[in-house]
Amino acid sequence: MKESKADLLLHPVRIKIVQTLVNGRKLTVQQIGEKLPEIPQATLYRHLKKLLEADLIEVAEENRVRGTIEKVYTLPSQPGTVTAEEFMTATAEEHMNYFMKFMATVLSDFESYVSDDSFDFVKDGAGYRQATFYATDEEFQELVETIGHKLMKLLENEAGENRRRRTLSTIVTTQRIDKKRDE
């Protein structure tokens, strides 16, 4: 059975590769590998191939380096990611499958963080939190836009001496509340 674009994208390794290319970044395999040192080179090549075949990434340019061709990867100008239609028409079972893959990625990232003996939640600003609040659709949209705007600025940053790689994972659920129960 052919994997859907969502299945391909939501693999823990492939989603990390795609994340290195956001905001128009163009990177070679070596540069992607430097950003993802936990991924073995053979695994990186295998997943790059899958992403290319699914049109989730593309080769932006090819450079001749010491007799070989070095490919530079980027996200497509019109990404081949899961379309809004594909997302909206997915069944509940498909959404649960996508969500489980997403959670597996989050769990893997968290396990990697706490496996380092020097982890420090306070110093690192790390943690896990849940906040339940009431908001109109308009208030919620304003929150999402504010977070999105601030996050886009941070996604433009390159690694540096005082910058550490951080991952923000979001999950938003809405509960339909029966008025009698809420009173």
Side-chain angles (χ1 to χ4, degrees):
M1 183 169 139
K2 185 178 175 186
E3 285 185 287
S4 70
K5 285 183 180 176
D7 284 331
L8 284 162
L9 183 62
L10 291 175
H11 184 280
V13 171
R14 292 189 288 266
I15 201 164
K16 287 179 181 182
I17 293 170
V18 169
Q19 288 170 340
T20 66
L21 298 171
V22 295
N23 283 345
R25 287 195 183 104
K26 296 178 181 180
L27 302 173
T28 64
V29 173
Q30 180 180 345
Q31 292 168 321
I32 294 169
E34 288 169 2
K35 292 182 178 291
L36 304 172
E38 70 278 11
I39 300 173
Q41 189 174 22
T43 301
L44 185 60
Y45 275 106
R46 187 172 61 252
H47 289 288
L48 280 168
K49 182 179 180 203
K50 281 192 169 207
L51 289 167
L52 273 169
E53 289 171 351
D55 296 323
L56 292 168
I57 63 171
E58 65 185 18
V59 177
E61 55 192 72
E62 294 181 345
N63 303 314
R64 185 166 290 285
V65 178
R66 293 184 291 279
T68 64
I69 301 295
E70 176 184 66
K71 294 179 180 177
V72 179
Y73 298 95
T74 190
L75 295 177
S77 53
Q78 296 197 358
T81 58
V82 180
T83 66
E85 182 182 344
E86 289 172 316
F87 186 78
M88 296 303 291
T89 59
T91 65
E93 184 178 339
E94 289 169 324
H95 277 293
M96 285 303 298
N97 187 31
Y98 301 156
F99 187 75
M100 297 272 279
K101 289 180 180 184
F102 171 76
M103 290 306 298
T105 301
V106 173
L107 184 60
S108 173
D109 289 345
F110 187 76
E111 180 181 30
S112 177
Y113 171 69
V114 296
S115 293
D116 182 341
D117 291 337
S118 65
F119 78 89
D120 181 334
F121 280 89
V122 175
K123 180 180 166 227
D124 298 337
Y128 40 92
R129 299 163 186 90
Q130 185 173 32
T132 301
F133 55 91
Y134 294 88
T136 64
D137 291 346
E138 292 79 18
E139 291 167 330
F140 181 71
Q141 188 60 39
E142 182 181 342
L143 172 67
V144 169
E145 288 172 7
T146 300
I147 293 170
H149 178 72
K150 297 283 188 183
L151 188 57
M152 290 307 290
K153 284 184 177 181
L154 292 174
L155 289 173
E156 294 173 5
N157 291 345
E158 292 294 329
E161 187 177 319
N162 295 321
R163 288 193 176 123
R164 290 190 283 158
R165 183 174 161 206
R166 301 172 191 271
T167 301
L168 173 67
S169 301
T170 60
I171 300 167
V172 177
T173 59
T174 301
Q175 296 173 332
R176 309 280 182 229
I177 297 178
D178 179 33
K179 287 188 176 188
K180 290 181 183 176
R181 193 180 73 187
D182 193 37
E183 293 176 350

